[in-house]
Amino acid sequence: MPIIAVVGNKGGAGKTTLSINLASGMSRQGGIAVIDADPQGSSLHWRAVANHEDAFPVHSANGAMRDQARDLALHYQDVLIDCPPSVHAPQTIAALGFADVALIPVQPSPVDLWATVHIERAIAEAKAENPSLKALLVINQLESRTTLSGLVREVLDEIALPVAQVAIRRRAVYRNSALEGKSVFDVGSRGADAVEEINALIQELKTQ
Ligand SMILES: Nc1ncnc2c1ncn2[C@@H]1O[C@H](COP(=O)(O)OP(=O)(O)OP(=O)(O)O)[C@@H](O)[C@H]1O
Ligand SMILES: [Mg+2]
């Protein structure tokens, strides 16, 4: 799974959180580089706060992102691209044009899931240029101790994109670790449950 684009059409779905934590997990299994393709620069910001040598590299997207990503893919096992919160953004369109996998975090609310219709369309359009593109929706910020409601399941069934078996729960450690320039892998037992679900998502990505 060399090039993974983390995309979406809603702000705050968890693209940056998943990018940082997946990259942190993947960096323990092999080399990983992140490209921050979002003008907000959140992943770059995290990397600046992290400020320690053993954290994975985060690069700012340059004008020729396809070449940049392919170049990084020669040196790293995986490349992850944190995209802006719109499928119409030029950076998202560019990334979907060459990525191997589009990972799409969505919150488990019908309103957020309905917005994924735009993503479905964007993925279908990208496949014209990039036929081998695979897409995987992942539920993020699932409330603990609640299961997906019936309505959310109904909406999920209508979406013609595969949904990851693992759902990422809403956990304070995702916010707190980021504040410290860390991932859930860097905070010991506080992060154990989150580490488990992020590793499970990495496994699912590997079988794409
Ligand atoms: N699983 C989670 N548990 C708790 N908080 C989370 C989780 N995922 C994301 N968050 C928090 O939700 C907020 C939005 O997440 P994040 O910045 O990763 O989303 P984003 O999709 O990258 O947003 P944007 O569209 O602005 O780039 C952040 O404050 C983040 O810490
Ligand atoms: Mg972001």
Side-chain angles (χ1 to χ4, degrees):
M1 47 160 189
I3 303 178
I4 301 159
V6 186
V7 301
N9 208 37
K10 276 211 136 211
K15 296 174 292 298
T16 301
T17 301
L18 287 190
S19 295
I20 289 165
N21 287 288
L22 287 170
S24 190
M26 288 170 174
S27 72
R28 284 156 172 83
Q29 302 175 16
I32 171 102
V34 171
I35 297 177
D36 191 343
D38 184 353
Q40 292 181 102
S42 310
S43 287
L44 280 165
H45 198 107
W46 175 85
R47 185 63 183 80
V49 177
N51 194 28
H52 52 89
E53 273 171 21
D54 52 341
F56 51 84
V58 180
H59 298 267
S60 174
N62 65 30
M65 203 179 15
R66 179 190 297 254
D67 292 343
Q68 183 185 15
R70 294 212 166 134
D71 211 43
L72 287 169
L74 296 175
H75 299 96
Y76 296 93
Q77 190 173 307
D78 303 293
V79 177
L80 217 144
I81 307 173
D82 182 13
C83 288
S86 166
V87 290
H88 305 298
Q91 298 90 339
T92 309
I93 294 169
L96 291 177
F98 62 80
D100 298 296
V101 181
L103 181 69
I104 308 149
V106 279
Q107 298 201 44
S109 89
V111 179
D112 285 55
L113 287 162
W114 287 324
T116 60
V117 72
H118 298 281
I119 298 168
E120 258 183 88
R121 244 179 258 143
I123 300 282
E125 281 166 21
K127 277 189 177 171
E129 182 191 347
N130 181 13
S132 59
L133 175 68
K134 298 200 170 108
L136 187 66
L137 223 72
V138 59
I139 297 289
N140 182 35
Q141 305 211 37
L142 185 67
E143 300 284 351
S144 58
R145 286 184 291 277
T146 59
T147 47
L148 285 179
S149 75
L151 185 53
V152 167
R153 281 193 193 284
E154 268 174 41
V155 181
L156 276 173
D157 285 345
E158 279 172 29
I159 298 171
L161 294 172
V163 182
Q165 278 184 355
V166 56
I168 306 296
R169 288 183 180 269
R170 186 194 294 273
R171 299 181 194 277
V173 70
Y174 284 108
R175 289 167 192 259
N176 299 340
S177 57
L179 274 174
E180 299 164 28
K182 291 178 175 165
S183 78
V184 295
F185 290 83
D186 304 317
V187 293
S189 57
R190 264 202 296 149
D193 293 339
V195 162
E196 199 174 306
E197 65 193 7
I198 293 291
N199 276 334
L201 183 55
I202 292 172
Q203 280 316 309
E204 276 202 69
L205 282 166
K206 285 198 167 161
T207 56
Q208 289 302 298

